[in-house]
Amino acid sequence: MAEREERRFAEVSRDSVKLMAESAGVEVGDEVAALLAEDVCYRLREAAQNSSQFMRHAKRRKLTVEDFNRALRWSNVEAVCGYGAQDALPFRPAKEGELFFVEDRDVNLVNLALATNIPNGCAETMVRVHVSYLDGKGNLEPQGTVPSAVQSLSEDLLKYYQQITRAILGEDPHLMKVALLDLQTNSKIAALLPYFVYVISGVKSVSHDLEQLNRLLHMVKSLVQNPYLYLGSYVRSLVSSVMYCILEPLAASINPLNDHWTLRDYAALLLSHIFWTHGDLVSGLYHQILLSLQKVLSDPVRPLCSHYGAVVGLHALGWKAVERVLYPHLPAYWANLQAVLDDYSVSNAQVKADGHKVYGAILVAVERLLKMKALSLSKPAEGGVGGQQGTAGGVLGFRESSPGLSPPPEPLSEAGLGIASHLQAGGAGCPWEDWTPVPLPAMYCELYSFFGDSLAVRFSTGPELEGCLPALPCQPADARKETVANAAAGLDNSRKMPQLTANLNISPRPDGSPHTEPPPPSLAGDGLNAEDTFHDVHRVPGQRSAGPSRDVFPKARFPPPQAGPPSFSFLIGGRQMGRRCQGRRFQTSFGPQPPLASLPPRAYAHKLPVIGRVSKPVRRWTCSHYSLHLPL
Amino acid sequence: MAAVQDGQVESDAEKETKPDASNDVAGNSSGGARSMSPNAASSASGAAKAAAPTGPGEQQTLLAVLQFLKRSKLLESVDILRREAGLSDELDESQTNDGAAAGSASLLRRVSVGGAAATNIAATTTSKGAEDQPDVSIVLSAYSQQGDPALYQVYYSGLKNFIESVLDCHRAELSQLFYPLFVHMYLELVYNNHEHEAKVFFEKFSGDQECYYRDDLRVLSGLTKKEHMKGNETLLDFRTSKFVLRISRDSYQLLKRHLQERQNNQIWLIIQEHLYIDIFDGMPRSKSQIDSMSGSLAGEARREANKAKVYYGLLKEPEIEVPLDDEDDEAENEEGKPKKKKPKKDNLGSKNKKQDPNAPQQNRIPLPELKDSDKLDKIMSMKEATKKIRLGPDTLPSICFYTFLNAYQGLTSVDVTDDSSLIAGGFADSTVRVWSVTPKKLRKVKSAADLNLIDKEADDVLERIMDEKTASESKILYGHSGPVYGISFSPDRNYLLSSSEDGTVRLWSLQTFTCLVGYKGHNYPVWDTQFSPYGYYFVSGGHDRIARLWATDHYQPLRMFAGHLADITCTHFHPNSNYVATGSADRTVRLWDVLNGNCVRIFSGHKGPIHSLAFSPNGKYVASGATDGRVLLWDIGHGLMIGELKGHTDTVYALKFSRDGEILASGSMDGTVRLWDALKAFDVETDDFTAATGHIHLPDNSQELLLGTYMTKSTPVIHLHFTRRNLLLAAGGYNSQ
């Protein structure tokens, strides 16, 4: 049994046998060791060959330790224990000497015991059936699609998910901010989307806790703003969660001390944001939202806070929504509201307070409706120019007045056209063109009958819109309004230009219709480049007119650089509402741009991403003054 | 051992003196010195021990046994044996008291060797072998000291040269000799402890062997010591069974003449002892003909093995004729549309009236009486059958794939009921899981106490006995202690059989979802089991190489089918329940007669262990799939291979004929389902000559017969099933790696 010259199989060497014998405390001679080694080799081969039978009958390609053990048991040999792990054991050489060993990593039991990532158990074994081939032809659907339980998350993702959710729902506001910011910018969390959506759908279970609701809504916002996420049909789920916050009589509202109004405002804002940016992902979404809002509004049994939610929701969706849903309902609703407001009994005090909220919300919505209506009417007459200008002014004014405590979603201004484009494209409601609105004067009269002077007063308070009311009945007022708008715009010019700069060189100008109004674009092109820190996308004309290209926009939502708008503000009047009003912040952005949708050509549209960059919400707005439903 | 040393000395001497050029001379001289020509050998040995009535070899054996018994102090047995064998005390005594017991010892070691050689060795070892006691195992083994180990190479290459120089027509036939000769010579060398020579021999000639023997050669090459030969099952088979070759008379004469001329008695002895040469008259076969039939562990099947008459026809179904009316009426009443079914039933009745001449007697084996529920089911199945789609090359079946997800335990077997309402999986974690694939959930029967409460007269008593609380989509059956390798539903869907590595077959009730019986008999893993198409009987086969036929109400097997040389890997009932087919790791398919337990067919031709079997619905054909990825088709009546379907790249684990037999579906480890045109494949005319000689010409038309290949995504196909309407169901466990 000399050394073999050529090896047919892996062999156990004489030395190994000796070593093992030594370790067992037996001294073995060379000859014995050689004999043993040879026999061991043979037995191993035999066992391996036998074990392959088990593999074959188990219909596998991979020989497992289990197979080998079974083969050993056949031949009355003790099975090898401790090697049943599924993954391969690394077999390593030691640095010194020709020593090989199976790597056996230390397991930290403490870590294991305290680990928070509890491994998700094996999913249940199940049978799925697919019609794979119909009449022997082709796959109907990809065969063997794996249910989501099978594609397990990687360890890291799971950890990330846990950390993020814990941070967001936890106590530490700073942590929460960090988590939200990461959620907004992380490009690798697509796999976690369903999980987050699921977490968010938990709003229903925390309706008693305003804080948690708020955090969940912030989570929604972060997800929506994350440019790397494709929300797909999850939009629906998100929308339903947000709608829940807007409309449901939350458990938290029972206590009048809870400021659930703010939550509703914020949720409404979020809703419109989701809708404007992701509405195209789900067909008929707009229509559905309107329907459910309308349902709530027309249901007198619902508590006032639900009605309030419906109103702010409509308001958030734009003045068109207000015109189409709220306005027709107003007469019927007014009676109910009036009854509440006229009841001066003590027991009714709380309800009455709620009623005033609703009243204020309606007032704000209606007022915007009137204003926008006026603008939209004026614009066609001016051939778009005035309209645009006016819009700019209007947008500006309201933007300024929106005291966003938390950063407003960037594509706010897009909303105005968004609604129109949606109507046009999706046909979710009646098409824009087919819409026959109530004539403005009639509308005004009717509204006046409800609100009386408060309506007029409110109009008059807005400095830039002063002219509107008088002008309402008559078209000629347009000119004046335009000037007003221009004046307003003039104020903003410093701010508005910058964002026009970069874009407008390529801009819609050439094709962009007869823009007669002097200041904005050209100026922008010229001098104000330096100030481009002021970029504010909301007023970029391109964006306003981006109606047709709206589908492009959401995909190009980049986290915009923080814009530093000047501390320019309008005092509309009344008390400053602070946080409360953040929901309204962008009401004003629903300018009468929609008609302009036809304006920007595609060539312009593809620039939008660049424009989008500047759409960073502004903290500074918080300090702007805003008051709408204050009188209550 | 004396003999060993002797051999080595000689071999060394030979090495020095023998240059390659003088191969033949050396071989001849040494051979000639020690023994005579093959023919002379037996006569010589006969003369030497003529006294013994049983022949020299057997007498030696007897003596050895006697010795053994004496040593073991079994004196009574010794007396009895002596009396019975007619051996005289003297002979025995004289042998043992010879003073040179070694002489007898080494003599004994040779079971059938030429006398000259024996004396030669005896003479040389007389002085040393005194301590050698004859050993039964050695005596009984077929190998013994033979000739000069160094000359084995010479012998072998001599034969090789000869075969390569003969006419082409004979060469192919004679080449069949290479493999068995090679193996036996190698084993002889190993057995006689010529390890080095054995190794050299192996290395020199293993490359010449046909590639399909590769697996066996691998086992062989691992075996280098005599001790290893004990207990090695593969080799045990080789030694105990004769390797069967079919050679034409002309070729055989040629070979014989050559060996006699060369006095190459070594090879001749091996041929005589270990090979069975089936000589036929007529044209020698071509290489391809030989290749298609060879490959099994023990060579081809002998011709006479496939001569028995097989009643492959289907039983007629008498129960349909009369009872159908009643049952049908009942069914109609329930459904309220009596008119539609009448004509259909008549059709079926008339079709069943003509008796298939090849069918067995109706009562050849007793079959269970049909219960009412069975009849109802038959009717259902016929109704379904009328809606069945006629398949063909132009109308291929739709395929539904049942994927087992999250089967981390390891899915090892699948079965689907005939009506496709239940699917069951056997798992490596010893469980059996049953799923309902219809909206009807699985329910257990209520407990005995609850059963007492129900109204037994109620019409819906069958419904009432079920416990609604236990309704679920799947049930798990616990009981085995090893992977479940085979499962089978009973035709009436009341029972499920499972066979496992723990050596048992278990019968489960699908009413109570409990184990009813554990059938113990196989002491080793049971690889497969299957119910008879008529229920009641079932067959199982496993590592112990014996297929057993059981009846559900007997705890011991009714028949044991022994004959396979390696594990039985799959078992299948013939549609008429009179026969059982078994596929084995010895690469043959055998057909057994349930009535008398005889093996009536041996089909050789596969080149790897057989893992799937399927009978055609008309009972005439059987298809078998093996690890080599080939599917072979066999004509049972003629006992012939009639087709070869090549295409799969891995083990074929599932085979199934469509309900009318037009399409054969095969599923494989390679994750594909392939459909084959069975009608065309069977459309081979077998003339009388072919039938008589068994020489087949296989057309290489796999590509024409292949109707479609359907991929899965990383899912091996381990079961196939055609629904009663000819929708193809396939099943397998998703493999995430």
Side-chain angles (χ1 to χ4, degrees):
Chain A
M1 337 297 159
E3 293 286 334
R4 302 173 149 233
E5 316 80 53
E6 185 252 345
R7 297 183 163 189
R8 273 178 263 168
F9 297 98
E11 284 172 13
V12 178
S13 77
R14 218 185 309 180
D15 296 337
S16 306
V17 173
K18 270 188 178 170
L19 266 175
M20 285 175 209
E22 248 172 60
S23 68
V26 186
E27 195 69 32
V28 182
D30 261 7
E31 208 171 320
V32 179
L35 277 171
L36 272 176
E38 205 156 355
D39 197 54
V40 164
C41 293
Y42 174 73
R43 300 295 163 199
L44 278 178
R45 283 197 293 272
E46 201 183 26
Q49 271 152 5
N50 287 337
S51 59
S52 72
Q53 286 225 36
F54 287 98
M55 176 190 72
R56 249 184 285 137
H57 282 281
K59 290 152 181 133
R60 262 184 281 118
R61 277 202 193 86
K62 193 172 163 189
L63 190 72
T64 64
V65 178
E66 194 60 14
D67 293 331
F68 193 79
N69 279 342
R70 287 186 206 290
L72 288 182
R73 257 174 252 141
W74 262 8
S75 33
N76 287 329
V77 179
E78 247 178 72
V80 186
C81 296
Y83 292 88
Q86 288 294 311
D87 26 75
L89 292 170
F91 194 63
R92 300 191 186 289
K95 282 235 173 64
E96 53 280 344
E98 296 202 353
L99 201 61
F100 294 85
F101 61 93
V102 175
E103 193 178 87
D104 212 356
R105 255 180 267 116
D106 288 341
V107 177
N108 189 336
L109 282 179
V110 177
N111 281 358
L112 198 66
L114 300 179
T116 45
N117 54 336
I118 297 152
N120 36 0
C122 296
E124 198 188 343
T125 308
M126 55 182 161
V127 183
R128 279 281 170 87
V129 64
H130 325 264
V131 177
S132 306
Y133 295 94
L134 201 57
D135 296 334
K137 285 184 225 63
N139 262 3
L140 278 189
E141 54 178 300
Q143 198 271 325
T145 41
V146 189
S148 54
V150 171
Q151 37 169 240
S152 55
L153 292 173
S154 78
E155 191 85 347
D156 294 340
L157 271 181
L158 209 63
K159 233 176 205 159
Y160 175 85
Y161 165 74
Q162 283 160 348
Q163 299 287 356
I164 287 284
T165 45
R166 212 174 303 156
I168 291 179
L169 301 178
E171 294 301 309
D172 186 347
H174 178 69
L175 256 186
M176 181 184 97
K177 258 175 230 161
V178 173
L180 285 176
L181 192 68
D182 192 69
L183 212 52
Q184 201 174 320
T185 51
N186 200 318
S187 60
K188 303 186 183 73
I189 56 169
L192 287 173
L193 181 61
Y195 294 78
F196 285 126
V197 169
Y198 178 76
V199 168
I200 288 163
S201 72
V203 284
K204 295 177 178 87
S205 57
V206 293
S207 72
H208 57 280
D209 188 344
L210 274 183
E211 191 56 28
Q212 294 288 48
L213 287 174
N214 231 331
R215 287 160 187 269
L216 287 174
L217 286 182
H218 276 98
M219 202 161 158
V220 174
K221 200 191 69 185
S222 292
L223 288 179
V224 169
Q225 286 183 299
N226 189 323
Y228 304 101
L229 280 182
Y230 173 73
L231 295 182
S233 55
Y234 290 113
V235 164
R236 215 177 267 281
S237 171
L238 290 179
V239 162
S240 79
S241 296
V242 172
M243 293 277 278
Y244 179 88
C245 293
I246 300 176
L247 294 178
E248 289 307 307
L250 303 170
S253 345
I254 295 169
N255 183 352
L257 297 179
N258 278 335
D259 187 8
H260 57 97
W261 310 105
T262 312
L263 182 82
R264 290 178 202 278
D265 290 346
Y266 181 57
L269 174 148
L270 202 52
L271 176 69
S272 80
H273 181 136
I274 295 175
F275 174 63
W276 299 131
T277 50
H278 296 279
D280 52 341
L281 295 179
V282 181
S283 62
L285 187 64
Y286 179 65
H287 196 58
Q288 280 173 20
I289 295 175
L290 283 192
L291 264 184
S292 48
L293 291 175
Q294 181 180 0
K295 222 173 84 191
V296 172
L297 201 60
S298 57
D299 183 357
V301 184
R302 290 252 186 182
L304 284 169
C305 53
S306 288
H307 292 153
Y308 175 83
V311 174
V312 291
L314 285 170
H315 189 59
L317 287 177
W319 64 276
K320 296 270 167 233
V322 175
E323 181 179 18
R324 284 177 47 191
V325 180
L326 180 59
Y327 176 70
H329 271 87
L330 212 46
Y333 188 75
W334 193 255
N336 294 334
L337 189 60
Q338 200 63 46
V340 172
L341 294 178
D342 289 348
D343 183 352
Y344 290 98
S345 64
V346 177
S347 60
N348 194 45
Q350 184 57 44
V351 179
K352 191 169 161 234
D354 291 357
H356 279 299
K357 290 272 188 200
V358 180
Y359 176 85
I362 295 177
L363 190 59
V364 169
V366 164
E367 178 208 41
R368 254 271 314 300
L369 168 64
L370 284 176
K371 192 193 67 196
M372 288 305 162
K373 189 105 174 141
L375 283 178
S376 70
L377 285 178
S378 66
K379 181 181 33 173
E382 289 196 25
V385 177
Q388 194 179 24
Q389 187 49 47
T391 314
V395 166
L396 193 55
F398 276 81
R399 160 75 47 54
E400 281 321 307
S401 59
S402 59
L405 173 68
S406 55
E410 67 275 23
L412 291 184
S413 59
E414 171 194 19
L417 38 113
I419 193 166
S421 75
H422 186 84
L423 286 172
Q424 281 163 344
C430 43
W432 170 251
E433 287 83 4
D434 297 350
W435 176 267
T436 48
V438 184
L440 189 54
M443 186 184 274
Y444 179 75
C445 293
E446 190 176 351
L447 289 177
Y448 188 81
S449 73
F450 293 135
F451 294 97
D453 279 343
S454 60
L455 193 63
V457 162
R458 297 193 52 74
F459 263 105
S460 60
T461 23
E464 83 278 31
L465 288 176
E466 262 167 14
C468 277
L469 257 191
L472 276 177
C474 54
Q475 293 297 344
D478 282 346
R480 201 167 93 209
K481 195 178 54 128
E482 190 189 292
T483 53
V484 171
N486 267 342
L491 277 176
D492 309 337
N493 268 353
S494 58
R495 196 147 57 96
K496 185 153 74 177
M497 308 295 104
Q499 74 241 134
L500 293 176
T501 53
N503 325 312
L504 286 188
N505 297 336
I506 349 147
S507 93
R509 285 298 115 212
D511 38 76
S513 75
H515 272 283
T516 51
E517 27 100 42
S522 49
L523 259 184
D526 301 341
L528 292 166
N529 268 348
E531 287 182 298
D532 54 7
T533 41
F534 295 137
H535 281 233
D536 182 352
V537 94
H538 302 261
R539 250 154 281 106
V540 171
Q543 215 174 353
R544 257 185 269 121
S545 54
S549 47
R550 227 189 99 258
D551 47 341
V552 177
F553 190 68
K555 284 160 201 129
R557 288 168 298 121
F558 292 102
Q562 178 81 34
S567 55
F568 166 84
S569 66
F570 271 119
L571 182 64
I572 295 183
R575 194 152 52 91
Q576 182 178 341
M577 285 302 285
R579 216 185 152 115
R580 149 79 46 83
C581 302
Q582 55 184 314
R584 304 263 142 41
R585 183 175 351 104
F586 56 95
Q587 297 164 349
T588 47
S589 57
F590 309 136
Q593 292 93 340
L596 290 184
S598 57
L599 216 158
R602 286 283 162 195
Y604 180 62
H606 75 266
K607 285 292 167 193
L608 282 177
V610 185
I611 300 163
R613 250 163 211 284
V614 286
S615 65
K616 184 61 184 184
V618 191
R619 216 112 256 261
R620 209 97 35 103
W621 294 344
T622 357
C623 57
S624 62
H625 309 287
Y626 182 72
S627 76
L628 288 174
H629 47 280
L630 302 185
L632 318 171
Chain B
M1 269 180 229
V4 180
Q5 283 156 15
D6 175 43
Q8 278 173 338
V9 171
E10 276 194 25
S11 76
D12 290 344
E14 281 298 335
K15 260 193 219 154
E16 284 157 31
T17 57
K18 174 204 69 187
D20 269 358
S22 63
N23 264 358
D24 283 356
V25 181
N28 282 343
S29 63
S30 64
R34 282 180 288 113
S35 66
M36 297 141 235
S37 71
N39 289 342
S42 57
S43 66
S45 68
K49 313 270 176 195
T54 48
E58 285 166 44
Q59 193 186 13
Q60 298 279 1
T61 311
L62 278 174
L63 286 175
V65 173
L66 276 175
Q67 295 255 356
F68 174 77
L69 291 174
K70 266 188 197 167
R71 237 189 322 150
S72 315
K73 306 250 181 331
L74 301 166
L75 293 177
E76 272 186 48
S77 308
V78 171
D79 284 345
I80 293 168
L81 180 62
R82 205 172 270 159
R83 228 179 300 128
E84 281 183 340
L87 290 174
S88 62
D89 276 3
E90 296 79 47
L91 178 55
D92 183 37
E93 292 308 309
S94 71
Q95 290 268 354
T96 41
N97 300 338
D98 210 0
S104 71
S106 53
L107 277 174
L108 290 175
R109 215 171 282 153
R110 299 167 293 114
V111 177
S112 53
V113 187
T119 46
N120 182 15
I121 294 163
T124 59
T125 59
T126 316
S127 55
K128 298 172 189 170
E131 69 278 9
D132 261 8
Q133 292 293 323
D135 187 352
V136 184
S137 63
I138 295 176
V139 173
L140 292 182
S141 78
Y143 297 113
S144 55
Q145 177 63 22
Q146 299 259 351
D148 181 349
L151 289 181
Y152 275 49
Q153 285 186 45
V154 181
Y155 296 148
Y156 189 87
S157 50
L159 185 71
K160 195 173 146 192
N161 290 339
F162 161 70
I163 290 176
E164 275 165 5
S165 65
V166 296
L167 283 173
D168 281 358
C169 62
H170 298 300
R171 190 189 303 148
E173 288 211 309
L174 293 179
S175 298
Q176 295 176 81
L177 279 168
F178 281 138
Y179 176 68
L181 275 180
F182 169 80
V183 175
H184 282 292
M185 289 172 92
Y186 177 78
L187 290 179
E188 273 191 22
L189 286 172
V190 170
Y191 186 80
N192 293 307
N193 286 331
H194 303 300
E195 194 185 329
H196 180 71
E197 286 82 358
K199 214 179 69 161
V200 172
F201 182 77
F202 188 92
E203 263 147 34
K204 191 157 177 191
F205 298 114
S206 63
D208 299 344
Q209 310 307 326
E210 298 285 353
C211 57
Y212 42 79
Y213 291 120
R214 205 181 43 214
D215 288 346
D216 284 347
L217 288 177
R218 197 177 301 140
V219 174
L220 209 58
S221 67
L223 185 118
T224 51
K225 293 213 169 297
K226 185 177 169 185
E227 305 88 69
H228 298 159
M229 289 174 73
K230 288 178 213 155
N232 187 315
E233 286 144 359
T234 318
L235 299 171
L236 205 69
D237 299 331
F238 229 95
R239 275 182 294 167
T240 52
S241 63
K242 288 193 168 187
F243 196 94
V244 182
L245 302 167
R246 272 190 218 177
I247 292 182
S248 69
R249 189 169 295 284
D250 291 350
S251 304
Y252 179 71
Q253 296 293 358
L254 208 62
L255 173 75
K256 197 166 157 188
R257 212 175 309 129
H258 165 77
L259 291 177
Q260 281 178 357
E261 269 170 23
R262 295 302 175 88
Q263 307 237 315
N264 203 340
N265 66 316
Q266 190 64 51
I267 285 176
W268 185 250
L269 279 173
I270 291 175
I271 290 174
Q272 295 247 301
E273 217 173 287
H274 300 299
L275 307 190
Y276 177 93
I277 298 186
D278 198 354
I279 300 164
F280 61 85
D281 294 308
M283 282 283 290
R285 292 187 295 168
S286 70
K287 178 96 171 83
S288 66
Q289 279 179 312
I290 293 167
D291 279 350
S292 66
M293 296 292 283
S294 56
S296 96
L297 200 59
E300 293 179 47
R302 303 181 190 199
R303 260 179 310 161
E304 68 261 23
N306 288 338
K307 288 290 178 230
K309 165 99 175 131
V310 174
Y311 302 99
Y312 56 80
L314 299 183
L315 295 176
K316 70 177 190 265
E317 306 196 0
E319 72 277 6
I320 293 166
E321 297 181 292
V322 189
L324 180 68
D325 282 324
D326 316 338
E327 295 297 331
D328 218 8
D329 286 341
E330 278 180 28
E332 283 154 16
N333 293 341
E334 285 166 23
E335 294 183 17
K337 39 175 180 177
K339 274 165 204 159
K340 206 177 154 194
K341 253 166 290 158
K342 288 277 186 193
K344 180 210 311 170
K345 166 208 61 192
D346 291 345
N347 286 344
L348 293 166
S350 61
K351 199 163 69 182
N352 276 281
K353 266 175 199 130
K354 49 180 175 185
Q355 171 76 22
D356 187 340
N358 291 308
Q361 286 290 311
Q362 204 65 26
N363 52 0
R364 189 165 178 268
I365 60 164
L367 291 172
E369 290 271 311
L370 281 188
K371 290 179 296 213
D372 285 356
S373 58
D374 297 334
K375 291 174 186 165
L376 271 174
D377 196 55
K378 275 261 185 298
I379 293 160
M380 276 304 297
S381 116
M382 280 169 188
K383 273 195 247 168
E384 287 278 301
T386 56
K387 295 174 189 159
K388 140 179 91 185
I389 298 162
R390 271 201 82 80
L391 300 178
D394 303 320
T395 49
L396 294 176
S398 300
I399 306 175
C400 278
F401 204 98
Y402 285 92
T403 312
F404 286 72
L405 295 166
N406 306 319
Y408 306 111
Q409 316 87 350
L411 179 70
T412 44
S413 53
V414 174
D415 196 29
V416 179
T417 53
D418 187 66
D419 68 348
S420 318
S421 63
L422 301 174
I423 188 168
F427 291 85
D429 69 350
S430 320
T431 58
V432 177
R433 286 156 203 257
V434 186
W435 282 267
S436 167
V437 295
T438 59
K440 203 176 148 197
K441 302 219 160 156
L442 301 174
R443 296 170 301 175
K444 289 184 188 174
V445 171
K446 287 177 182 164
S447 68
D450 292 338
L451 283 178
N452 272 333
L453 301 177
I454 62 171
D455 176 12
K456 289 165 191 71
E457 303 304 314
D459 288 340
D460 59 344
V461 68
L462 285 179
E463 192 58 29
R464 290 190 185 197
I465 59 170
M466 307 312 285
D467 189 352
E468 213 44 61
K469 275 176 296 197
T470 59
S472 65
E473 221 165 67
S474 77
K475 292 261 184 269
I476 307 182
L477 308 175
Y478 297 100
H480 280 294
S481 60
V484 179
Y485 290 119
I487 50 175
S488 173
F489 280 107
S490 72
D492 60 5
R493 296 189 299 285
N494 283 326
Y495 304 105
L496 176 68
L497 277 175
S498 62
S499 68
S500 160
E501 190 254 2
D502 62 14
T504 62
V505 178
R506 282 178 185 271
L507 182 74
W508 308 85
S509 162
L510 296 182
Q511 303 293 332
T512 59
F513 292 98
T514 52
C515 182
L516 300 177
V517 196
Y519 299 96
K520 293 174 185 171
H522 295 277
N523 283 324
Y524 287 95
V526 189
W527 297 131
D528 198 12
T529 185
Q530 206 214 8
F531 252 115
S532 147
Y534 292 87
Y536 185 61
Y537 299 108
F538 65 92
V539 63
S540 65
H543 178 61
D544 62 3
R545 305 159 184 214
I546 295 173
R548 287 167 160 83
L549 180 86
W550 311 73
T552 48
D553 55 359
H554 288 63
Y555 66 89
Q556 283 182 321
L558 304 181
R559 298 281 183 278
M560 311 225 321
F561 306 117
H564 274 298
L565 299 173
D567 299 29
I568 290 172
T569 48
C570 52
T571 55
H572 216 81
F573 255 100
H574 190 276
N576 68 18
S577 196
N578 278 256
Y579 297 91
V580 163
T582 54
S584 163
D586 69 8
R587 308 187 284 264
T588 60
V589 176
R590 282 174 187 244
L591 194 68
W592 310 86
D593 192 334
V594 166
L595 182 65
N596 48 28
N598 289 338
C599 174
V600 289
R601 289 287 181 272
I602 303 176
F603 297 127
S604 69
H606 271 296
K607 314 286 190 264
I610 291 152
H611 275 270
S612 52
L613 287 169
F615 280 97
S616 67
N618 61 13
K620 280 177 82 170
Y621 307 102
V622 64
S624 57
T627 53
D628 57 7
R630 298 187 315 151
V631 174
L632 297 184
L633 305 172
W634 312 90
D635 180 332
I636 296 171
H638 295 105
L640 292 175
M641 185 195 297
I642 50 167
E644 178 187 18
L645 307 176
K646 285 184 278 194
H648 283 294
T649 57
D650 208 330
T651 310
V652 178
Y653 277 121
L655 282 172
K656 192 78 180 183
F657 283 94
S658 67
R659 291 278 168 167
D660 292 328
E662 311 97 333
I663 301 277
L664 172 64
S666 61
S668 157
M669 186 81 168
D670 63 15
T672 58
V673 174
R674 284 170 203 257
L675 300 180
W676 311 86
D677 189 341
L679 285 186
K680 200 166 161 194
F682 292 139
D683 188 21
V684 192
E685 66 244 42
T686 34
D687 50 54
D688 289 346
F689 173 77
T690 316
T693 57
H695 303 165
I696 42 142
H697 296 271
L698 279 186
D700 187 14
N701 57 351
S702 294
Q703 283 315 310
E704 295 165 39
L705 298 176
L706 181 63
L707 298 176
T709 302
Y710 304 100
M711 308 285 292
T712 66
K713 250 190 205 168
S714 186
T715 307
V717 183
I718 63 172
H719 190 76
L720 289 168
H721 178 80
F722 275 97
T723 66
R724 288 168 174 172
R725 299 189 187 185
N726 265 338
L727 172 70
L728 178 57
L729 308 181
Y734 176 74
N735 182 6
S736 50
Q737 276 120 33

